[in-house]
Amino acid sequence: MSSLSIRQIRKVYTNGVEVLKGIDIEVKDGQFLILVGGSGSGKSTLLNMIAGLESVTSGEIRIGDRVVNALQPKDRDIAMVFQSYALYPSMTVRQNIAFGLGVKKVPKQEQQEIVERVAQTLQITHLLDRRPAQLSGGQRQRVAMGRAIARKPSLFLFDEPLSNLDAKLRVEMRAEIKRLHQRLKSTIVYVTHDQIEAMTMGDLIAVMKDGVVQQLGTPQDIYDNPANLFVAGFIGSPSMNFIHATLAIDGAGAPYVTLENGGRSMQLRLPFDAARLARHVGSAVILGIRPEQITDLGTAHGVNGQELDCLIDLVEPTGPDTLLTTTMNGAAVTCRAHPREAVSPGQSMALSFNLSKATLFDPASGERLV
């Protein structure tokens, strides 16, 4: 295991396109880092640079106490698990797992012991004599992970390993990888475009867009305190609601915004320091509030919320709760309600707004105001 240090990493291709624009990330020994973002965010390019598959234009990558910029992939003491599994079709599972050990000239008896131990860890002992074509997608991914684990690298790199799996298997493998990390206490860098994977698996998340780390932090901190509109909208399922409004101050000097729904309006008092928002009074703002913070009065019992009767446009049962869609200030807004409390589309329902974790954003810059 090793720490990973990424300092001011830039990648510029010969055509002048800058893909990474000064990335700084520090990963402690044994941490699980998630690189998450949409297509073209630069996350896979950064992973390939850590692996040595892409050159560095400027900056420094350090694995443990070694600067690895100029080292070949084989000399970096890493193991990579790909989306495509990359198994040798003519080899058995046993031979695939042992392949890297053979390259390192590990004695045959030791190879066998390591393969057996890894197979037990991943619960694939019964598959050791099969070939990849005889395995399911989940089994192939376990074999690919087993081949990486057998080498005992300083750093594990995962490149969207679950993208080819069906939804149920993705959930199972997500838990499997997390359990594996807890057992091995290994340092892992994991690339995904799936924010649910990011939230459930990582100790540390780097949210990327256009070659820039928009925010780096723990899953809960990023969820509760998004740095800007992009992060707030990308992390969370369903995503955060964004309600356009004008910031005002009431007679008592407290900030508020006005919400309109179905011909009714409400002044929603904001729990923010008016002094911090003074220069924004009278200006357009975006109120960010997550679906679970707008809910039925039964679920909101005991929470100091503000209530508004809302006309419900859409009802989506999910089992443990029901998602309701209403319209506020012309925007679709998603709320969470208890299934017993949900009304039918076209009916009104009293909803409670808990603003303890609400945020305000600047619509021009997208940056968080409070």
Side-chain angles (χ1 to χ4, degrees):
M1 293 187 296
S2 286
S3 59
L4 171 68
S5 178
I6 300 168
R7 299 176 184 171
Q8 279 299 298
I9 285 296
R10 294 178 65 246
K11 177 66 178 179
V12 183
Y13 288 113
T14 53
N15 61 2
V17 175
E18 188 175 22
V19 182
L20 297 177
K21 305 170 184 177
I23 304 294
D24 286 299
I25 299 175
E26 297 291 330
V27 185
K28 296 177 183 177
D29 188 10
Q31 275 192 315
F32 196 135
L33 168 69
I34 300 281
L35 300 177
V36 64
S39 298
S41 61
K43 59 189 186 300
S44 292
T45 300
L46 180 57
L47 189 79
N48 288 336
M49 292 168 79
I50 298 169
L53 303 176
E54 287 265 10
S55 62
V56 174
T57 301
S58 65
E60 178 184 277
I61 297 176
R62 186 182 290 268
I63 299 176
D65 58 0
R66 296 190 304 163
V67 176
V68 299
N69 291 39
L71 295 183
Q72 294 296 312
K74 64 183 178 64
D75 299 321
R76 298 193 180 200
D77 194 20
I78 60 169
M80 198 159 181
V81 180
F82 298 92
Q83 177 181 344
S84 61
Y85 318 130
L87 301 177
Y88 296 102
S90 61
M91 294 183 181
T92 64
V93 168
R94 188 188 306 277
Q95 292 167 330
N96 266 284
I97 294 175
F99 182 80
L101 302 174
V103 171
K104 292 172 69 174
K105 302 195 182 323
V106 174
K108 288 286 186 184
Q109 181 59 36
E110 188 177 346
Q111 285 187 39
Q112 183 175 336
E113 292 170 0
I114 292 172
V115 170
E116 291 290 342
R117 185 167 62 249
V118 168
Q120 287 178 8
T121 298
L122 294 172
Q123 300 178 0
I124 54 173
T125 304
H126 61 295
L127 305 174
L128 286 175
D129 296 317
R130 297 187 191 178
R131 286 183 165 74
Q134 299 171 293
L135 306 177
S136 68
Q139 290 170 336
R140 291 181 198 180
Q141 196 56 275
R142 279 189 171 86
V143 176
M145 288 165 54
R147 184 176 55 192
I149 295 166
R151 294 181 49 208
K152 292 186 178 178
S154 297
L155 186 65
F156 287 95
L157 305 177
F158 286 78
D159 188 11
E160 304 211 40
L162 308 184
S163 294
N164 290 336
L165 305 181
D166 62 49
K168 183 174 184 296
L169 196 50
R170 282 179 73 125
V171 173
E172 293 173 1
M173 288 301 298
R174 202 164 68 208
E176 189 66 40
I177 293 173
K178 188 161 186 174
R179 278 194 290 266
L180 187 66
H181 175 247
Q182 291 170 348
R183 284 198 298 268
L184 300 178
K185 313 250 185 265
S186 47
T187 307
I188 294 176
V189 180
Y190 186 108
V191 163
T192 182
H193 63 274
D194 187 329
Q195 59 86 24
I196 295 179
E197 284 182 22
M199 284 294 296
T200 56
M201 297 175 71
D203 302 317
L204 196 62
I205 298 176
V207 184
M208 298 185 64
K209 179 189 179 189
D210 298 333
V212 176
V213 173
Q214 302 289 315
Q215 190 170 358
L216 177 68
T218 64
Q220 198 62 50
D221 184 51
I222 287 178
Y223 186 82
D224 289 338
N225 304 293
N228 53 42
L229 277 171
F230 174 78
V231 175
F234 193 88
I235 298 295
S237 180
S239 62
M240 180 179 279
N241 295 302
F242 298 127
I243 305 172
H244 290 255
T246 299
L247 184 65
I249 296 290
D250 65 17
Y256 72 90
V257 293
T258 300
L259 299 186
E260 294 185 357
N261 175 279
R264 290 161 291 202
S265 65
M266 165 189 178
Q267 289 186 356
L268 194 66
R269 299 183 306 279
L270 304 176
F272 306 130
D273 181 7
R276 291 182 60 188
L277 295 170
R279 66 190 182 93
H280 300 285
V281 173
S283 300
V285 293
I286 297 176
L287 172 66
I289 183 167
R290 295 206 178 271
E292 62 270 23
Q293 295 168 324
I294 309 175
T295 188
D296 62 272
L297 300 185
T299 303
H301 181 69
V303 175
N304 184 22
Q306 299 173 63
E307 300 168 15
L308 177 65
D309 273 339
C310 295
L311 185 66
I312 302 304
D313 304 321
L314 182 67
V315 177
E316 298 175 272
T318 66
D321 54 20
T322 294
L323 300 179
L324 307 173
T325 302
T326 186
T327 302
M328 295 181 188
N329 295 8
V333 172
T334 302
C335 322
R336 286 188 187 271
H338 192 281
R340 288 197 303 267
E341 305 295 331
V343 299
S344 300
Q347 293 182 319
S348 289
M349 181 174 178
L351 294 173
S352 176
F353 290 72
N354 172 15
L355 299 179
S356 61
K357 293 183 179 178
T359 53
L360 280 184
F361 299 96
D362 183 333
S365 68
E367 294 302 306
R368 179 174 175 164
L369 299 176
V370 287

